[in-house]
Amino acid sequence: MKKIFLAGNPNVGKSVLFNRLSGARATVSNYPGTTVDFTKSRMRIAGKEYEIVDLPGAFSLEPKDKAEEVARDMLKKEKPDAVVSVIDATAVERGLYLTLELIEKGYPIVVALNMSDVARDRKIKIDVRKLEEILGVPVVETVATTGSGLKELVSRIEEAKPVDVGAIKQRAGR
Ligand SMILES: Nc1nc2c(ncn2[C@@H]2O[C@H](COP(=O)(O)OP(=O)(O)OP(=O)(O)O)[C@@H](O)[C@H]2O)c(=O)[nH]1
Ligand SMILES: [Mg+2]
């Protein structure tokens, strides 16, 4: 069975996303609040069953606390088929750090620009197509709390593929 991981900074909406995707079929749960441990569940996409894992929040794969250690170890141990890198759309740069680390480690990535409702309210405009072009991975705007964008996110998980960080830097012009 293919494995999909949800990774991202603390408080970006990973667990809400996880609950929606798994349809409350989670085997372990400690919501609401901060996730220090991982949670596993299953979801169905186009008739196929996937394992889905909600990781604790992390700013980096070089852990500075227990949550980051758990996230790093899970990624290392379980070799996900796709990682949904969940980024707070109001703090894209902060989220890109971990995203680039994940890409550098060779994980197939899809980016969820979550909290896009808050970004919209704050008049933060993100050029999604441009970001997608530079990163070379699918980028989808989502609102985990309402479910907006989740259909597209799910439909693009199969597009997740490893990307060369050198090529990203070149496309970003640095
Ligand atoms: N407005 C808005 N709020 C959101 C969205 N997604 C999540 N939230 C809220 O953001 C808060 C954090 O959500 P969580 O799902 O717990 O975040 P997390 O990434 O799992 O956090 P950690 O486990 O601590 O890393 C909760 O209060 C959610 O209701 C969204 O798209 N829009
Ligand atoms: Mg969580």
Side-chain angles (χ1 to χ4, degrees):
M1 190 177 7
K2 285 194 175 178
K3 291 178 205 158
I4 300 167
F5 280 29
L6 301 180
N9 295 165
N11 229 28
V12 296
K14 297 179 296 300
S15 296
V16 176
L17 206 57
F18 172 83
N19 284 345
R20 283 214 169 249
L21 293 174
S22 64
R25 279 186 288 167
T27 44
V28 201
S29 170
N30 55 353
Y31 307 114
T34 304
T35 322
V36 184
D37 207 350
F38 64 87
T39 311
K40 276 187 188 183
S41 186
R42 290 187 178 185
M43 70 177 289
R44 212 165 245 289
I45 304 175
K48 270 189 279 179
E49 189 103 3
Y50 291 80
E51 182 173 85
I52 171 160
V53 177
D54 178 25
L55 294 176
F59 290 106
S60 161
L61 294 177
E62 283 163 31
K64 291 184 185 62
D65 60 31
K66 186 69 194 160
E68 290 185 333
E69 211 174 287
V70 171
R72 191 231 14 218
D73 291 349
M74 278 298 287
L75 283 159
K76 225 182 196 168
K77 196 175 71 173
E78 300 241 354
K79 302 207 170 44
D81 298 283
V83 177
V84 179
S85 185
V86 187
I87 293 181
D88 178 346
T90 69
V92 173
E93 278 188 35
R94 197 179 60 191
L96 281 178
Y97 186 85
L98 177 70
T99 303
L100 286 171
E101 276 189 334
L102 288 165
I103 289 173
E104 202 153 31
K105 289 263 188 263
Y107 296 111
I109 303 289
V110 178
V111 172
L113 283 179
N114 197 43
M115 310 255 184
S116 55
D117 55 332
V118 185
R120 198 172 309 122
D121 287 348
R122 294 196 200 157
K123 313 260 187 281
I124 297 168
K125 286 225 170 72
I126 301 163
D127 191 338
V128 178
R129 293 288 87 81
K130 181 91 184 173
L131 190 57
E132 192 167 271
E133 203 181 290
I134 290 173
L135 293 177
V137 304
V139 178
V140 182
E141 287 180 291
T142 60
V143 182
T145 42
T146 66
S148 168
L150 294 207
K151 235 181 174 168
E152 191 194 344
L153 180 68
V154 165
S155 76
R156 300 196 69 189
I157 281 174
E158 288 287 341
E159 285 177 51
K161 58 178 187 298
V163 210
D164 176 36
V165 169
I168 294 175
K169 285 181 179 161
Q170 228 168 31
R171 287 195 291 267
R174 21 179 124 168

